[in-house]
Amino acid sequence: MKILCVLYDDPTDGMPNSYALDSLPKIEKYADGMSLPTPNDIDFTPGELLGCVSGELGLRKFLEEAGHTLVVTSNKDGDNSEADKELVDADVVISQPFWPYYLTREKMQKAKNLKIAITAGIGSDHVDLQAAMDHNIDVVEVTFCNSISVSEHIVMMILSMVRDYHTQHAIAKSGGWNIADAVKRSYDVEGMHIGTVAAGRIGLAALRRMKPFEVNLHYFDRHRLSAEVEKELNLTFHETVESMVAVCDVVTINCPLHPETENLFDAQMISKMKKGAYIINTARGKICNREAIAEALESGQLSGYAGDVWFPQPAPNDHIWRTMPNHGMTPHTSGTSLSAQARYAAGTREILECFFDKKPIRSEYLIVQGGELAGTGAHSYSKGSATSGSEEASKYKK
Ligand code: NDP
C-alpha cells in the first residue's frame, strides 16, 4: 500500500544532534483510565523530533519492512503541491493539525484508492468529514495523545495574558527596567471567573489545573459532567455559551471545530462578554471570527487573546492575528511538544497495525467509519464540513 504522510518542515538548522532532556517522564495512564497507545513495537526514541519531515513519525522501517511505500512531504498547499500529486494513488493519508493537509471533497474525488485518513494528533476538521462519509473514507485520530499538553499550554496562556508576561519579558530582553510600563496591564488571576466552552478531555484538564489558583470555575458543554466532578471542582454549569461569557474574566475554548462551532465567537458573541475579558483559544482558529477578535482587542472589549490555532495553517504572513494588540499567539505548537509527539507517533503506528491486520481500531480513535460519524466522532462532532477557505494557506511564504 502507499502511505502519504504530510508533516511540518525540519528545523531551519537541521535535525538536532542532542536534546534538552535525556528522557521523558513515564506516564502510566490517561486521567480517565484510558491506556496510552499500544503499538506492537516502535522504531523511534521518545523525546526526539518525530513530527517533522525527517522525523517521519518513526514509521519508515515498520512500513518498508512490511512492503509498503511511504512518501513524506511538507509541500501541501497551492496548485500542484507534492501532496496533491502523491494523493492520487495513496491508500492512506496521515496529516497533523499543526501543518494540516486540507483534505477537501475535490481532493477526495481524485484519490480513488484512499481508504483512511489518520490525524496524528487530535482534531480532524482539516478533513471534510461530510465528504469522507460520502466517499466511505474512514477518519481516525489519536484521542487523548496531546490533550494534557494543550491543557498545560492553556494554563500558561491564562497566566501569561492576565499577568502580562509578554510585555515584561520584552522589557527584560531589551535591557529596560521601567516597572510601571511592565505592570500597567498586570493582574492576579486569584478570584477571577474562568470558563471553558466544552469540558471534554482538554477542557476538564484545564479546569482541574486552574482549581489551585483559587478562581471561580464555569463551563458550558452539550453534555453535563457528573455531579461528582461538578462538586469536586465547584463548577458552575451554564445552559448557554452566552450566559457563561457574560460573567467570565477568562474564556477558554476547547470544543472541536464543526459546523455548530464554526464562527461561534463572532462580533455578537464577543459583545456579550464581560468587558475587558481574555480569550484563550487552543481549539481551532475558525471558531473565532478573525476580524471580530482584532476589532475587540482594538476597542478594549477584549483585554487579550492568546492561543495557537489559526485558519488556515500556516497562517498567511499578513494574518491580522500576527499584529493585533495584546495578543499572545504562538504558531500551532501546544499539542506537539516532544512529549506529545512520542504519544501520537505511537498512536499512529497502533492505528496502522490494526488497519493492515484488519483488526478493530479503538472506538475512542474513530471519527468517521463506514460512512458515518463513529466513536469519539459521534460524540464530539456534528455532520457537515468546516474546511472551506483553506486555499489561503498557500499565501504563507517562508
Ligand atoms: P474531546 O472530544 O475530549 O472534547 C471535546 C468536547 O467538546 C466534548 O466534551 C464535546 O461535548 C464538546 N463539544 C462539541 N461540540 C460542542 C459544542 N457545539 N458546544 C460545546 N461543546 C461542544 O476532545 P479534546 O478535549 O481532546 O480536544 C478538543 C479539541 O481541541 C479538538 O477537537 C481539537 O480541535 C483541539 N485540540 C487542539 C490541539 C492543539 O494542539 N492546539 C491539540 C488537541 C486538540 P460532548 O461530547 O459533550 O458533546
Side-chain angles (χ1 to χ4, degrees), residues 140-204:
V140 297
E141 58 186 46
V142 191
T143 301
F144 227 142
C145 65
N146 54 14
S147 302
I148 299 304
S149 322
V150 178
S151 70
E152 290 186 3
H153 206 83
I154 292 167
V155 174
M156 173 179 85
M157 287 191 154
I158 293 174
L159 291 173
S160 60
M161 292 310 292
V162 172
R163 302 198 60 87
D164 203 20
Y165 164 76
H166 306 88
T167 305
Q168 298 162 19
H169 184 56
I171 290 172
K173 264 190 127 172
S174 65
W177 198 267
N178 189 308
I179 304 289
D181 277 346
V183 298
K184 66 185 187 210
R185 296 181 59 86
S186 181
Y187 301 92
D188 295 351
V189 291
E190 184 185 17
M192 284 190 165
H193 289 256
I194 316 269
T196 175
V197 178
R201 293 171 181 86
I202 297 174
L204 181 57

Side-chain angles (χ1 to χ4, degrees), residues 54-372:
S54 295
E56 301 182 323
L57 296 177
L59 292 172
R60 186 167 295 279
K61 182 167 177 277
F62 157 66
L63 290 173
E64 292 186 346
E65 282 181 358
H68 302 296
T69 305
L70 174 66
V71 175
V72 185
T73 182
S74 64
N75 185 318
K76 68 179 184 76
D77 298 306
D79 295 335
N80 298 316
S81 71
E82 207 58 47
D84 283 2
K85 281 186 226 153
E86 298 289 351
L87 180 70
V88 176
D89 59 349
D91 299 277
V92 178
V93 61
I94 303 170
S95 172
Q96 304 176 106
F98 325 104
W99 188 255
Y101 180 41
Y102 293 103
L103 201 52
T104 58
R105 184 176 287 275
E106 297 70 48
K107 291 184 191 181
M108 281 183 215
Q109 273 156 0
K110 291 183 195 149
K112 299 291 179 213
N113 296 345
L114 192 60
K115 296 161 190 67
I116 186 166
I118 302 175
T119 302
I122 305 173
S124 298
D125 49 276
H126 58 281
V127 179
D128 181 329
L129 296 180
Q130 189 58 52
M133 288 183 248
D134 298 343
H135 287 82
N136 209 11
I137 296 168
D138 290 350
V139 182
V140 297
E141 58 186 46
V142 191
T143 301
F144 227 142
C145 65
N146 54 14
S147 302
I148 299 304
S149 322
V150 178
S151 70
E152 290 186 3
H153 206 83
I154 292 167
V155 174
M156 173 179 85
M157 287 191 154
I158 293 174
L159 291 173
S160 60
M161 292 310 292
V162 172
R163 302 198 60 87
D164 203 20
Y165 164 76
H166 306 88
T167 305
Q168 298 162 19
H169 184 56
I171 290 172
K173 264 190 127 172
S174 65
W177 198 267
N178 189 308
I179 304 289
D181 277 346
V183 298
K184 66 185 187 210
R185 296 181 59 86
S186 181
Y187 301 92
D188 295 351
V189 291
E190 184 185 17
M192 284 190 165
H193 289 256
I194 316 269
T196 175
V197 178
R201 293 171 181 86
I202 297 174
L204 181 57
L207 291 170
R208 281 224 159 88
R209 279 156 182 72
M210 286 309 296
K211 171 95 168 108
F213 287 96
E214 299 187 18
V215 291
N216 304 285
L217 297 173
H218 302 251
Y219 81 102
F220 164 78
D221 199 299
R222 301 190 299 191
H223 300 98
R224 202 158 169 174
L225 293 167
S226 69
E228 203 184 358
V229 173
E230 286 193 356
K231 189 159 170 250
E232 172 205 335
L233 299 174
N234 195 18
L235 296 179
T236 304
F237 170 73
H238 293 262
E239 298 279 351
T240 62
V241 182
E242 287 82 352
S243 142
M244 188 184 83
V245 301
V247 296
C248 283
D249 302 285
V250 180
V251 173
T252 157
I253 304 175
N254 296 299
C255 50
L257 169 64
H258 55 91
E260 260 179 42
T261 59
E262 184 170 352
N263 214 31
L264 182 64
F265 280 77
D266 58 4
Q268 208 185 3
M269 180 68 80
I270 295 168
S271 73
K272 292 179 181 155
M273 294 181 73
K274 188 169 167 182
K275 185 184 172 299
Y278 302 80
I279 292 180
I280 309 296
N281 177 14
T282 50
R284 284 298 178 260
K286 248 188 169 184
I287 297 171
C288 293
N289 181 282
R290 191 191 299 193
E291 287 72 30
I293 293 291
E295 279 160 24
L297 288 169
E298 291 286 352
S299 73
Q301 172 61 12
L302 285 178
S303 290
Y305 180 93
D308 66 331
V309 285
W310 309 65
F311 187 80
Q313 292 183 182
N317 308 69
D318 63 353
H319 193 296
I320 196 168
W321 289 4
R322 291 182 187 271
T323 49
M324 62 193 182
N326 301 317
H327 81 82
M329 294 298 295
T330 62
H332 194 163
T333 50
S334 67
T336 187
S337 58
L338 294 172
S339 324
Q341 290 177 42
R343 288 188 295 271
Y344 68 67
T348 304
R349 167 109 177 223
E350 176 190 332
I351 290 165
L352 287 167
E353 287 174 359
C354 292
F355 174 72
F356 294 138
D357 295 347
K358 299 195 169 33
K359 288 191 181 147
I361 294 170
R362 300 187 201 201
S363 80
E364 298 100 310
Y365 289 173
L366 302 178
I367 303 299
V368 170
Q369 191 179 46
E372 284 297 330

